[in-house]
Each structure stands twice: as structure tokens, then as C-alpha cells.
Amino acid sequence: MTSAKTFPAAAPPKFASIGSPYFGIMLAVMAVVLILSNIGASKGVAIGPIITDGGFFLFPLAYILGDVISEVYGFKVARKAIITSFALSAFASLCYWVIIALPGFDDEYGAAKQSALEGALGPVPQIVLASLLAFFAGQTINSWILVRMKARTGEKSLWARIMGSSVAGEFVDTLIFCSIAASVIGITDAAMFVNYVLVGFLYKTFVEFAFVPLTTLAIGWVKKREPSYGTV
């Protein structure tokens, strides 16, 4: 009677601690990108038949940074980055509300300035709500899937982890954001909404896929310079 074959257990995934400055820099950039995306998203953009918003070119960068943080530091640290970016974006929205509510000058220039601020930042609280819920859910799913896949594959198949987690995270993010934000940017019918969701999802996913080589290089660069990588 022959014994069943046994396979060596997969090595535990490697991660780094956050003692170096790299995590802080990436966290700051992620938070700034999210805040700027919220402002840009208050403007509806029509490029031919394509319907999107003014934050479309910025937001994928937040997910690329999320991939780097998740791969190098693990899920717990990535969750900390997500929650911190979430809180800072909410704080920015509160500041916009205070700025708009403060009494301004009564002259023509002051009235014009107030109107411009209300037009540019007034819709942001609802956009921020959409963005925060979408960002939290999408980034959490993206990070969780990437780290779970890393537990199975170790240092191999990085491109597959990035692409697989991005598809799930971006879909959840886009669906939640568009469902809440559509009315603010002027999307009023089902056809425009479907266009908005599909364009947002396909665009964000395409950008992440196109940047996989650059993301892979960035991850490798940070891993080599993190003295604690592989010890956590």
C-alpha cells in the first residue's frame, strides 16, 4: 500500500513593518488623491459618448497605492491607511462646509466668490459620502483579496494578485460611488447611469491593468528598501 503524496506547505507571506518613512509618504499621497478626487467628482464630464466625472484621472492612483501598501505591509496596515484616508477626506468635507457657511463680503466680488465656492464645493459632502463608502468597501476588498492570494502564492504571481484584486475592488467601488453620486453630477436616467458605471469600472480597471508593470516595479523598489521586509 503506497502512502499518499505530501506537498510542502507554502511559506508564510512576507511583509514589512511601518517603521520606515515609505509608508507615511504613500499614506499622505493616497489621502491627497482621495480628497482631490472628491472635488473633481462634483463635475460631470462628457467626452463624446463617454460619461464620467472630473476625478476620473486621479482615483486609480489611490488603488495603485493601495496595492503597494497591501503587498508590502499586509492587510492590517492597509486597513489603517484606508481608515486614515477616510477620516481625512471626511475632515476636508467638514472644512468645506465651514468655509461656505462663514459670512463673506457683501460686495459684488464677495457674492461672486461665495457663489463659486458653493458651486464647486457645495455638492462635495454627498460626493464625499459616496466616495468614502465606495473607497472603504472597494479598497478593503481589494486589499483582502490581494493578501489572501499572497498567502497562497508567496512572492510569485504578483501580477495575478494585482489584477485579480483590482477587478473585485474596482467593481464594488464604482457601483457604490455611482449609485450615490449620480444625481449630484446631473445623471438623471437609467441609460446615463449604466454608461457612468460601465465607463467608470472599465476605465479604472484598464488603468490598473496598464500600470501593472509600473506597480510591480514600485513594489519591488519598496521591498528592497524596507529593512524589515520578510521579518513580519
Side-chain angles (χ1 to χ4, degrees):
M1 182 175 179
T2 59
S3 60
K5 290 183 178 180
T6 59
F7 297 92
K14 298 178 181 179
F15 297 109
S17 66
I18 57 175
S20 76
Y22 299 111
F23 171 73
I25 293 170
M26 288 188 284
L27 172 59
V29 174
M30 179 186 284
V32 169
V33 166
L34 181 60
I35 291 169
L36 292 177
S37 296
N38 291 339
I39 297 172
S42 64
K43 176 180 179 179
V45 173
I47 305 173
I50 296 174
I51 297 174
T52 183
D53 57 63
F56 78 95
F57 67 97
L58 276 169
F59 196 74
L61 179 57
Y63 267 80
I64 292 171
L65 288 167
D67 287 338
V68 177
I69 292 172
S70 299
E71 173 68 22
V72 176
Y73 302 100
F75 180 70
K76 289 183 178 179
V77 175
R79 185 173 57 188
K80 181 180 294 185
I82 293 166
I83 293 172
T84 302
S85 298
F86 181 104
L88 290 173
S89 189
F91 176 70
S93 182
L94 176 63
C95 290
Y96 303 148
W97 178 80
V98 171
I99 291 168
I100 291 173
L102 288 171
F105 296 153
D106 293 331
D107 58 10
E108 184 177 347
Y109 177 77
K113 200 74 171 180
Q114 177 70 16
S115 178
L117 282 171
E118 291 175 357
L121 301 180
V124 165
Q126 187 170 338
I127 294 291
V128 167
L129 174 63
S131 179
L132 290 180
L133 295 178
F135 176 80
F136 185 84
Q139 278 280 15
T140 300
I141 289 172
N142 178 75
S143 176
W144 185 83
I145 291 175
L146 190 149
V147 172
R148 290 288 293 177
M149 292 178 70
K150 185 174 183 178
R152 293 190 174 190
T153 61
E155 295 296 301
K156 299 178 181 179
S157 304
L158 175 57
W159 64 271
R161 292 197 293 277
I162 295 172
M163 296 173 74
S165 61
S166 296
V167 170
E170 292 289 12
F171 178 76
V172 171
D173 182 291
T174 304
L175 184 61
I176 293 175
F177 179 82
C178 293
S179 299
I180 299 174
S183 61
V184 177
I185 68 171
I187 293 176
T188 56
D189 60 60
M192 291 178 69
F193 177 75
V194 171
N195 186 319
Y196 188 33
V197 172
L198 288 178
V199 168
F201 170 66
L202 293 175
Y203 166 76
K204 293 173 186 176
T205 304
F206 171 77
V207 170
E208 286 225 40
F209 282 11
F211 276 83
V212 164
L214 184 60
T215 305
T216 302
L217 289 174
I219 287 172
W221 189 90
V222 176
K223 283 180 178 179
K224 289 180 181 178
R225 285 159 178 79
E226 274 289 7
S228 63
Y229 185 75
T231 65
V232 178

